[in-house]
Amino acid sequence: MAAAVEARDAGAVLAPVAEDFGGPDGLDRDGLARLVRLSFLRNAGIGTTLGPMSVQVDGERARVGFDAGLTGGRGLLPERAQLYAVETGWRFEDGEWMLISAQWTPRL
């Protein structure tokens, strides 16, 4: 998903997101799609850096936590940067892991 963000490919970003996705403040899959597209409109360039991942698998469910650094701007140099603590929930269905939940908290 990080590579898809940097490539500005909204379809690839959303491909592993389950229809019943739930995020902060009632964010659903459609809201996430709008957030992704808005980020692409605001930023000609987006950079992502992911920290080490903590993975816990329990059958067909998994929780993955990590830090994510995001940068963005209109030109060659980033104008904005933020570090987030991210917690995600995943479900294995039809041979693929689907994102069912995500929460992120700014660290800076």
Side-chain angles (χ1 to χ4, degrees):
M1 290 177 79
V5 167
E6 289 184 353
R8 302 170 52 83
D9 185 344
V13 171
L14 297 168
V17 179
E19 290 297 324
D20 60 345
F21 170 84
D25 300 321
L27 185 72
D28 61 7
R29 189 178 194 282
D30 290 339
L32 181 62
R34 287 189 296 276
L35 180 63
V36 167
R37 289 183 180 95
L38 177 63
S39 296
F40 291 168
L41 288 173
R42 278 187 78 195
N43 300 284
I46 299 175
T48 61
T49 302
L50 303 181
M53 295 187 183
S54 166
V55 180
Q56 299 171 323
V57 178
D58 184 16
E60 294 186 351
R61 301 277 177 148
R63 297 208 58 75
V64 180
F66 56 93
D67 286 336
L70 300 176
T71 60
R74 288 176 268 157
L76 182 61
L77 296 176
E79 298 166 353
R80 291 174 286 286
Q82 182 59 270
L83 179 64
Y84 296 93
V86 181
E87 292 290 330
T88 60
W90 297 81
R91 177 177 59 227
F92 194 70
E93 60 183 48
D94 299 328
E96 296 186 42
W97 285 101
M98 300 299 291
L99 180 65
I100 57 173
S101 66
Q103 297 288 326
W104 52 90
T105 307
R107 285 202 180 260
L108 299 176

